[in-house]
Each structure stands twice: as C-alpha cells, then as structure tokens.
C-alpha cells in the first residue's frame, strides 16, 4: 500500500509534500488519512499537522499540497489568497462546435451549500463572488474538445460552472449539464500543474512548478495527451 502511495508523491520536503489526488477523494478528509502512514514514515516523526491548504472538488484529480506544520499551512493559504499560485487544468468537454477557440470568462458565482452547486450570473448579486478564468481549445477529437484552463480566482466549482455556462460541459459532469456520467471515476477535469513561490529561507522566495500524471490513461486521455504534446513541441 505504501509503495503505491510513494508513487503518488510528486515532491516531499520536511514541512510539506505535493501528491496526486485521485478523483473521488476528499481533499479535506481522505487525503490526510490516506497519506498519514507514508508521511510519518518518511519524516521519521509525528507531524504537527497533516492538512491540505487548498481544495480540489471530489470528482477532480490532480496536484494537491499537504502541509505538515501550521506555519507552512498558513504560508500556502496566503499564497492562494494573494493569487500567487498559477494553476493549469486539463479539461475534456462535450462537443466540437465552438467558434471561439480561446477566451476569458468573467462573471459572478453564487454557491448553494444546500444544492452543492454553483450558479452563474452576468451581474453582481447578494453573496456572489467574481470568477475569472482563461481557456484555450487546443485540439478536438470526433466528439470532444480538449482544453487548457487557467483559473484566475479560486471559487468553488468555478471551472465546472463557468465552462458549462458557455455550453462547454465537462465530460461526465452531470451536475453541470453533461449527458451522462463517465466510464472512469470522476469527471474529465484534471489539475495538471501548479506554479508558485516556495520560501526556502527568510531572504529568498523562488517560483517552482509541479506537474501531476493522470492516473487512468484510457484512449480518450491518451489522445488528449498526444495532441497536447504536439502543441507543446
């Protein structure tokens, strides 16, 4: 079991680690519990805390930070609240008939805890929060479009709700309008990378980029990655 968890660790330091979260895992409860044994083993001691300073939706996999100290947790919380982290997501959406291949979506979201869903508005209203993201449709298959998404704000269900508001329903995300659930766990939204400053000492703060590997590479994700590499070359 620990060998499997070791393979999910992207980087490990003495005060935090970055791992690949699987779709279906809860960042707040499941991730600390799942990784607790391997964290204790690698540290050789009891950590002060085991907690995630940011969240990924349950059906979304990808890059996840786990803090071992309160100081580090607070540091990353400030990084995210001050918008110092650059996050890149992969998304596969239903359909290919989208005339605008890239753009910026700006509107307002209201998240309903009762319905566990975000609602999109083009105007500010009570309890709404501004949401901004950039997207690019870099390739298409027979029935799906392949997107790179960079959220500029960190609202709950932001990418799922904002893309759906433009008719781009993430494959498998029935909550936000997809035709049906997916054949693999979760939805076709993956937190591929995160770039952020890491404070190595009191005087130096450098930026680092970390990438996660998609755990289930079926033919659709393989086609996505193949075409993504062509764009990157």
């Amino acid at each position: 079991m620990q060998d499997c968890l070791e393979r999910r660790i992207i980087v490990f330091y003495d005060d935090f680690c970055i791992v690949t979260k699987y779709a279906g895992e809860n960042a707040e409860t499941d991730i600390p519990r799942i990784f607790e044994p391997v964290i204790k083993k690698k540290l050789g001691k009891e950590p002060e805390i085991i907690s995630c300073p940011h969240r990924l939706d349950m059906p979304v996999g990808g890059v996840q930070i786990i803090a071992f100290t309160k100081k580090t947790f607070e540091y990353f919380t400030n990084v995210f609240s001050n918008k110092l982290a650059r996050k890149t997501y992969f998304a596969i959406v239903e359909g290919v008939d989208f005339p605008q291949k890239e753009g910026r979506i700006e509107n307002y979201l209201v998240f309903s805890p009762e319905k566990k869903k975000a609602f999109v508005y083009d105007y500010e209203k009570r309890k709404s929060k501004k949401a901004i993201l950039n997207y690019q449709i870099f390739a298409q298959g027979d029935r799906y479009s392949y997107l790179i998404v960079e959220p500029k704000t960190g609202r709950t269900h932001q990418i799922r709700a904002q893309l759906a508001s433009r008719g781009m329903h993430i494959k498998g995300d029935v909550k936000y309008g997809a035709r049906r659930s997916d054949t693999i766990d979760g939805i076709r939204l993956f937190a591929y990378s995160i770039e952020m400053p890491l404070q190595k000492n009191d005087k130096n703060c450098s930026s680092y980029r970390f990438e996660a590997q998609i755990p289930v590479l079926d033919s659709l994700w393989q086609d996505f990655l193949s075409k993504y590499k062509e764009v990157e070359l």
Side-chain angles (χ1 to χ4, degrees):
M1 177 64 177
Q2 285 200 359
D3 289 341
C4 294
L5 292 178
E6 288 269 6
R7 289 195 289 269
R8 291 174 60 180
I9 296 174
I10 300 168
V11 66
F12 195 99
Y13 295 106
D14 58 2
D15 54 352
F16 76 96
C17 69
I18 300 178
V19 305
T20 299
K21 172 189 174 297
Y22 285 176
E25 295 174 341
N26 186 304
E28 190 171 7
T29 57
D30 294 336
I31 293 298
R33 174 181 53 80
I34 291 169
F35 282 91
E36 181 179 7
V38 70
I39 289 172
K40 289 182 177 179
K41 179 183 177 181
K42 291 180 75 68
L43 285 177
K45 63 179 181 180
E46 188 78 22
E48 183 180 6
I49 61 170
I50 301 177
S51 187
C52 300
H54 69 116
R55 306 285 183 263
L56 293 176
D57 294 348
M58 280 274 288
V60 179
V63 176
Q64 179 72 65
I65 302 171
I66 308 175
F68 309 149
T69 69
K70 293 178 181 178
K71 181 179 179 180
T72 303
F73 183 92
E74 183 180 354
Y75 172 76
F76 283 122
T77 299
N78 290 332
V79 166
F80 287 106
S81 62
N82 291 318
K83 299 179 177 60
L84 299 178
R86 179 181 179 182
K87 294 178 284 185
T88 302
Y89 286 74
F90 289 162
I92 300 176
V93 304
E94 296 177 341
V96 295
D97 188 22
F98 302 111
Q100 190 170 345
K101 300 303 181 184
E102 59 183 298
R104 183 180 181 92
I105 304 177
E106 293 188 39
N107 41 38
Y108 295 88
L109 299 186
V110 176
F111 184 79
S112 169
E114 295 79 18
K115 297 182 179 180
K116 297 181 179 180
K117 186 175 181 179
F119 295 88
V120 180
Y121 297 90
D122 291 328
Y123 55 90
E124 188 174 8
K125 61 178 297 179
R126 184 172 175 270
K127 294 185 177 180
S128 68
K129 294 181 179 180
K130 191 166 188 178
I132 304 171
L133 65 77
N134 295 331
Y135 74 91
Q136 177 190 3
I137 300 176
F138 69 89
Q140 292 174 317
D142 295 332
R143 293 180 296 164
Y144 303 103
S145 295
Y146 302 157
L147 280 69
I148 299 171
V149 183
E150 291 189 3
K152 300 303 179 182
T153 52
R155 311 307 183 195
T156 303
H157 292 195
Q158 174 181 338
I159 297 174
R160 301 162 65 185
Q162 287 193 289
L163 289 182
S165 73
R166 297 295 179 89
M168 294 182 284
H169 305 287
I170 296 172
K171 187 178 188 304
D173 197 2
V174 293
K175 181 186 285 286
Y176 287 97
R179 294 187 182 91
R180 60 185 65 86
S181 57
D182 207 347
T183 55
I184 62 175
D185 290 340
I187 62 177
R188 299 289 174 145
L189 179 64
F190 188 78
Y192 171 62
S193 70
I194 186 168
E195 185 175 343
M196 59 189 171
L198 294 185
Q199 191 168 1
K200 294 299 186 180
N201 54 56
D202 292 336
K203 297 180 180 180
N204 184 38
C205 196
S206 301
S207 183
Y208 294 81
R209 177 184 170 91
F210 304 97
E211 299 176 354
Q213 300 298 316
I214 299 172
V216 180
L217 287 177
D218 63 352
S219 59
L220 187 57
W221 272 127
Q222 286 177 345
D223 189 52
F224 180 104
L225 292 175
S226 175
K227 291 177 178 175
Y228 177 73
K229 288 179 181 177
E230 291 176 5
V231 174
E232 287 291 300
L233 292 177

